[in-house]
Amino acid sequence: VAYGEDVAILTGDGLYAAAGPALRIGDWRGRAVTVCRFTCIQITLNDSCECYGTRLIDLSDEAFALLAPLSRGVMKGGVSWP
């Protein structure tokens, strides 16, 4: 667990995501991104997705499960990076 701005950020191996067009800026592959819902996780962008509209990112099952039950399928949250 890493700590930033009064929020614990969960980190670990296997936390990956595919980036939608809005996140594919510059040298984006391998970028560490923080995704928050009720807690925050740090993931690595390793692929691209056709995420359009309000969908920015497609989290791996392991990453999604830290934020919501997999059965939920889609969730609202925040995405940020330095």
Side-chain angles (χ1 to χ4, degrees), residues 12-20 23-24 28-35 41-51 56-64 67 75 79:
D13 293 335
L15 300 182
Y16 299 102
L23 296 178
R24 295 194 303 259
W28 61 271
R29 285 190 193 269
R31 178 183 294 149
V33 175
T34 301
V35 179
I41 61 172
Q42 186 173 49
I43 57 91
T44 300
L45 298 177
N46 70 342
D47 200 358
S48 62
C49 68
E50 298 303 317
C51 306
L56 299 176
I57 198 166
D58 185 8
L59 298 171
S60 65
D61 287 350
E62 295 81 4
F64 193 99
L67 301 173
M75 66 177 176
V79 178

